[in-house]
Amino acid sequence: MKIAFIGAGMAALVAGEKLARAGYEVSIYEKEGYDSLSYDWHDDVNRSAFEDFGLPLPDKYFVKRNWTFIPPSERVESTLSLPEEELDLSCERRLMAQQYVDRAADVVDFHFGKRVDSLVIEDGAVKGIVVDGERVEADLVVDNSGALSPFRASLEGTGITPMPREDEIFVAYRGFHLKTAAADPTATNRAYLKHIGQKGISWSILDPAGTVNVLIGRVGKLQDEEFKCAYEALKASNPNISDDVVRGGIKCVIPIRYPLTQMVWDGYVAIGDSAFMTIPMIGSGIENCIRAAEILADVIIEGGSVDKKALWQYQVKYFLSRGAEHMGVDVLKRWLLDCAPDDLDWLFEHGVVGPKEMAAGATGKLITLSFGDLLDKVRRGYKKLPLLLKLNSVLQKTKRAARLGRAIPKEYDSRRVAAWQTKVEKLFED
């Protein structure tokens, strides 16, 4: 069986190697060259993503410090207190990608500097890809090309979402700036929610290399004037940020929504950002990609088929392991982004939202409140009871969303899948 991957992201590298070592003929097509793979910066991955599947740790990483979340007024800060063993590893993305390419090079056919033009679709099924004008036959095409994948749009009528809505993506500036001589803050990983009242987040992270990792992400678009205001405000709060950019300094698109409600078709699978596999609260997705890659490879190896009914098990298993919970997190994220800045400030300043709640959202987990927790929130929030009631309503909706995600049809049936998709879409429209 021939399997072609579009894009050499971590999902493609992990799944591709596993399938190739199981005897499948695997090719990975990547538009960039080997020396410019992925991004030239570090991103966070939970160590369990490697340990659970016996994968090697990246050659270069450092242990990430706990996050500190800061509401719009910046009058208070809420710092997580995750134990050392639960902290993410901040991994050099380019070096990690190259490490996994080298590891698989003896069994996977890599094609660097090759841009895939389109899918080959015949008789309602994907039969391969077109690369530099030439047809390449494949029994299965795995789309790892990113949030704005043009290949989903070519599968009109399949139930696969062609493009995310504007409010389902971050357009984010990411740059690593030299550190100035200014004193470093006590909290080194500072994330600003609805920064300066804008719909999005910013962060300033001091890393061991003596650079400051700057992100400014806004929902849908990031206008130049909007970026300038946010950047100047971030520098004012973090005077250790200089204007000298040593890495990055570019804008990228990050999905911040629940996963695709249909990831598969006959001869086609979406994975990674192409399937919106990020944690909606912060846009981190490498761990999810690795786990999805392992699931996909196992489903193909065990089932031996690439039609949508067989591939549907990949989607079911992903939703039961990650996707359903991320539906709930997406509900909370949307509410936080729409919340009035003054209300968000009040929730933080009165301890209604604190480290426990932010730790759950940042790691892709639902916020659950015991009876004691609820009483405590009422005690803290009675002066703004309507706001507290609204927050409680949102938390109940997160649970409904997760239950709906777990109610995904366990076997592929077009009518049942379409009905489930409609329920999911309606929940997020309400």
Side-chain angles (χ1 to χ4, degrees):
M1 183 186 295
K2 294 182 179 181
I3 303 176
F5 287 80
I6 306 174
M10 280 299 292
L13 297 174
V14 172
E17 181 188 5
K18 188 166 187 175
L19 288 164
R21 296 201 187 282
Y24 292 85
E25 186 177 334
V26 175
S27 298
I28 297 180
Y29 294 84
E30 168 57 48
K31 64 182 179 181
E32 303 293 342
Y34 175 87
D35 292 334
S36 52
L37 272 179
S38 189
Y39 293 113
D40 183 26
W41 59 58
H42 53 71
D43 268 326
D44 303 339
V45 189
N46 193 277
R47 69 179 74 229
S48 65
F50 304 103
E51 294 171 351
D52 290 352
F53 303 109
L55 296 170
L57 290 175
D59 290 336
K60 188 174 181 181
Y61 67 86
F62 60 89
V63 178
K64 187 73 172 285
R65 296 281 296 278
N66 273 301
W67 281 104
T68 295
F69 289 95
I70 304 168
S73 69
E74 302 185 28
R75 290 190 294 262
V76 297
E77 298 181 354
S78 180
T79 300
L80 309 188
S81 56
L82 296 174
E84 180 84 8
E85 62 272 14
E86 292 183 22
L87 293 174
D88 288 344
L89 306 180
S90 204
C91 310
E92 288 287 348
R93 286 190 62 160
R94 178 162 295 165
L95 295 180
M96 182 167 62
Q98 290 170 339
Q99 175 185 345
Y100 274 73
V101 168
D102 295 344
R103 169 185 161 96
D106 62 321
V107 289
V108 173
D109 188 12
F110 287 99
H111 301 265
F112 294 111
K114 294 291 185 180
R115 182 182 294 272
V116 176
D117 302 323
S118 62
L119 302 177
V120 175
I121 304 173
E122 294 176 349
D123 302 323
V126 175
K127 301 292 188 179
I129 54 179
V130 176
V131 184
D132 292 339
E134 295 186 8
R135 175 175 173 138
V136 177
E137 302 284 347
D139 298 292
L140 176 66
V141 174
V142 183
D143 182 0
N144 193 197
S145 66
L148 303 182
S149 164
F151 308 107
R152 292 193 311 263
S154 65
L155 292 168
E156 186 178 358
T158 64
I160 296 174
T161 301
M163 283 291 165
R165 298 201 312 256
E166 189 173 271
D167 63 348
E168 296 176 333
I169 59 170
F170 268 163
V171 177
Y173 165 88
R174 190 80 181 275
F176 286 69
H177 294 236
L178 283 178
K179 187 174 82 69
T180 69
D184 297 328
T186 303
T188 58
N189 295 8
R190 298 158 63 83
Y192 296 78
L193 306 177
K194 294 205 77 163
H195 186 215
I196 62 171
Q198 295 174 353
K199 196 170 181 179
I201 64 171
S202 299
W203 74 46
S204 169
I205 302 173
L206 180 62
D207 67 34
T211 58
V212 186
N213 172 356
V214 172
L215 177 139
I216 296 171
R218 297 297 180 263
V219 174
K221 61 186 68 173
L222 180 59
Q223 305 285 9
D224 290 344
E225 190 61 32
E226 190 176 35
F227 166 77
K228 181 180 178 181
C229 291
Y231 177 61
E232 293 302 326
L234 195 64
K235 284 204 305 177
S237 300
N238 299 271
N240 59 359
I241 300 173
S242 79
D243 290 330
D244 296 320
V245 180
V246 294
R247 292 201 286 173
I250 63 173
K251 292 180 182 178
C252 50
V253 175
I254 305 169
I256 51 163
R257 55 153 277 173
Y258 59 94
L260 274 181
T261 50
Q262 184 149 335
M263 304 175 184
V264 304
W265 195 250
D266 292 326
Y268 173 88
V269 165
I271 200 168
D273 282 7
S274 294
F276 311 141
M277 289 178 171
T278 57
I279 297 173
M281 192 71 74
I282 58 173
S284 177
I286 298 176
E287 178 191 356
N288 297 329
C289 290
I290 292 173
R291 294 185 180 279
E294 292 283 345
I295 292 171
L296 176 61
D298 286 343
V299 164
I300 294 171
I301 293 168
E302 292 168 9
S305 174
V306 294
D307 67 26
K308 58 180 176 287
K309 290 186 177 180
L311 293 171
W312 183 252
Q313 292 307 307
Y314 149 73
Q315 178 164 338
V316 170
K317 292 179 179 182
Y318 182 77
F319 262 81
L320 296 181
S321 68
R322 282 288 191 276
E325 204 160 31
H326 290 170
M327 283 177 59
V329 173
D330 190 359
V331 169
L332 179 61
K333 175 224 69 186
R334 291 170 192 247
W335 183 74
L336 287 173
L337 287 174
D338 288 333
C339 189
D342 288 346
D343 286 343
L344 194 55
D345 286 328
W346 191 92
L347 290 170
F348 272 83
E349 290 170 6
H350 289 78
V352 177
V353 173
K356 178 182 176 182
E357 290 76 24
M358 294 311 300
T363 55
K365 298 180 177 62
L366 292 181
I367 295 175
T368 56
L369 297 179
S370 66
F371 182 69
D373 291 332
L374 187 59
L375 288 178
D376 182 60
K377 302 301 182 191
V378 171
R379 178 181 63 81
R380 294 172 181 271
Y382 74 93
K383 289 186 178 179
K384 278 205 171 187
L385 191 57
L387 177 61
L388 186 62
L389 291 173
K390 179 60 179 176
L391 175 59
N392 182 62
S393 175
V394 170
L395 293 179
Q396 295 306 312
K397 186 175 179 180
T398 69
K399 295 178 183 178
R400 294 200 306 275
R403 285 197 299 270
L404 180 56
R406 289 191 287 269
I408 182 173
K410 303 308 183 288
E411 303 292 336
Y412 186 87
D413 175 275
S414 59
R415 285 179 296 181
R416 292 180 60 213
V417 168
W420 175 75
Q421 284 184 289
T422 299
K423 290 179 181 178
V424 172
E425 290 164 3
K426 186 176 186 306
L427 182 140
F428 282 94
E429 289 169 358
D430 290 342

